[in-house]
Amino acid sequence: MTAPSVDLSVLDLVPVRSDQTTGDAIAASRGLARVADELGYRRYWVAEHHNMPAVAATNPPVLIAMLAAATSRIRVGSGGVMLPNHAPLVVAEQFALLEAAFPGRIDLGIGRAPGTDPLTRYVLRGGSAESADDAVTKFPDYVEDIRTLMTSDGVELQVGPRRQPLRATPSARSVADIWLLGSSDYSARLAAEKGLPYVFAHHFSGEGTGVALDLYRSSYQPSPEYPEPRTFLTVNAVVAETEEEARRQALPNVQQMIALRTGAPLHPQRLVEEAESVEMSADQQAFGRAMAGRWVVGDAEQARQQLQDLAATYGVDEVMVHPVAGAHAGTDAQSSPNRETTLRLLAG
């Protein structure tokens, strides 16, 4: 790894390139997870995003089952399940089954944002805008519901004249680790209050990281499962043999993020050569440079130093890298060799 004091993990959105089908993208991510497993990365998380042409990570539990089955050691989890989209019992059942099948290897990362556009959010909540808004308001209660339902005892509820037990799975022997995710101080405060691990989405926001982590640590209330605060952060990363090549491979994702942040039409992720043929305005180029300036981009030595500096700045002993290297024309559609190279070069 980069150094004995810094563990590395992986975040994957299962990107869909212009030369791929959804099945190809899943196959490429399966291969990437195997590489992370072999190299000793600590955990491999998949995101939840809906109705996006360049993202196949729509259903974390399904992906986690496939990736955990394809690996042998690495922890696999969600980064994260967007809880307002789902009934808490469904999430608890899914992750209780995953933990039963892969004991000690499952992480349940939970987020409060919908991870999608308003129309898709409306459909996910059964065509009820009120239901979707209510789910956000009840987020703290839903987190506690999941936490309780996954235990071996579950809960007992009064149903008419009698009490009825409710459990996520019949006979749990272990419980998935629960993490709260966020890009503001809301989840930092809630995680501290509930005594849960917390992750700041540095890869998405890039601002307010230090404030959120300091708030979490300073106000942390110990829980039986987690007597001490546990936290790390995420960062976009592209690592290649040279800095110039790394910046080339970063360009497709830079363009994707510009479109996302400016409301421009989204598209499958371009190949490197396709991205290089796109004319970008001066404003777009400046915006792209500012975003990529918060990423880890460079050759192996540069990237390892950037990760060390990032870990030292924010006082974390784990960094989750989101490998966003684009693919070159002619790449096998069911592979992502440049993303794999990022992981290999970071691991040394």
Side-chain angles (χ1 to χ4, degrees):
M1 307 301 288
T2 58
S5 60
V6 181
D7 284 330
L8 293 180
S9 294
V10 180
L11 174 66
D12 186 8
L13 271 62
V14 193
V16 182
R17 308 189 306 255
S18 61
D19 64 337
Q20 289 179 313
T21 65
T22 299
D24 293 333
I26 292 171
S29 284
R30 189 183 295 114
L32 187 66
R34 290 194 182 107
V35 169
D37 193 35
E38 293 164 4
L39 292 174
Y41 280 72
R42 188 169 187 176
R43 60 187 96 238
Y44 193 104
W45 284 8
V46 288
E48 177 185 337
H49 293 285
H50 300 278
N51 199 30
M52 299 180 70
V55 176
T58 57
N59 195 310
V62 173
L63 289 169
I64 290 167
M66 289 189 288
L67 297 173
T71 53
S72 61
R73 176 204 55 83
I74 197 167
R75 296 188 67 92
V76 188
S78 57
V81 166
M82 299 295 101
L83 187 50
N85 296 336
H86 312 286
L89 177 58
V90 172
V91 176
E93 288 178 332
Q94 291 167 340
F95 280 81
L97 281 178
L98 288 168
E99 175 65 20
F102 307 100
R105 292 184 56 203
I106 301 299
D107 292 331
L108 168 54
I110 300 172
R112 188 172 66 110
T116 187
D117 58 86
L119 174 61
T120 309
R121 179 186 177 214
Y122 175 76
V123 175
L124 281 167
R125 294 300 300 185
S128 170
E130 293 78 10
S131 173
D133 293 338
D134 189 51
V136 173
T137 303
K138 292 182 177 178
F139 180 75
D141 295 333
Y142 285 176
V143 171
E144 199 60 40
D145 290 345
I146 290 173
R147 193 175 185 179
T148 302
L149 287 165
M150 287 198 303
T151 64
S152 57
D153 293 335
V155 296
E156 280 196 359
L157 301 175
Q158 190 74 33
V159 183
R162 64 189 180 91
R163 295 183 66 81
Q164 179 174 324
L166 180 63
R167 299 180 182 87
T169 197
S171 184
R173 290 295 181 268
S174 60
V175 178
D177 279 0
I178 300 177
W179 296 73
L180 292 192
L181 320 180
S183 56
S184 68
D185 63 2
Y186 176 91
S187 290
R189 292 180 188 275
L190 184 63
E193 175 188 322
K194 290 186 174 294
L196 288 172
Y198 170 70
V199 181
F200 186 83
H202 183 81
H203 74 287
F204 185 78
S205 176
E207 298 177 355
T209 306
V211 172
L213 294 184
D214 288 346
L215 174 64
Y216 169 67
R217 293 184 179 113
S218 64
S219 57
Y220 188 78
Q221 301 296 313
S223 63
E225 305 97 324
Y226 309 105
E228 301 290 337
R230 298 174 63 191
T231 188
F232 60 85
L233 52 83
T234 57
V235 63
N236 292 332
V238 182
V239 190
E241 294 296 336
T242 66
E243 180 183 0
E244 179 183 6
E245 176 59 18
R247 298 203 175 279
R248 288 186 70 212
Q249 293 178 16
L251 187 58
N253 197 259
V254 166
Q255 292 179 351
Q256 196 77 11
M257 292 304 297
I258 290 173
L260 183 65
R261 296 294 181 87
T262 60
L266 300 178
H267 48 75
Q269 188 177 85
R270 297 181 176 113
L271 300 171
V272 172
E273 291 79 5
E274 292 172 336
E276 288 177 325
S277 69
V278 173
E279 291 189 17
M280 299 172 62
S281 67
D283 286 346
Q284 288 175 324
Q285 292 180 36
F287 189 24
R289 283 193 298 270
M291 281 194 301
R294 295 192 289 267
W295 301 1
V296 170
V297 181
D299 61 30
E301 183 177 354
Q302 292 170 323
R304 290 176 195 153
Q305 186 60 55
Q306 290 174 53
L307 282 179
Q308 290 283 9
D309 293 344
L310 193 66
T313 296
Y314 297 111
V316 297
D317 58 10
E318 179 178 348
V319 176
M320 178 170 277
V321 296
H322 176 211
V324 295
H328 289 287
T331 296
D332 178 356
Q334 295 199 342
S335 70
S336 52
N338 292 341
R339 291 202 296 156
E340 292 180 8
T341 295
T342 289
L343 299 191
R344 294 186 189 281
L345 291 177
L346 285 178

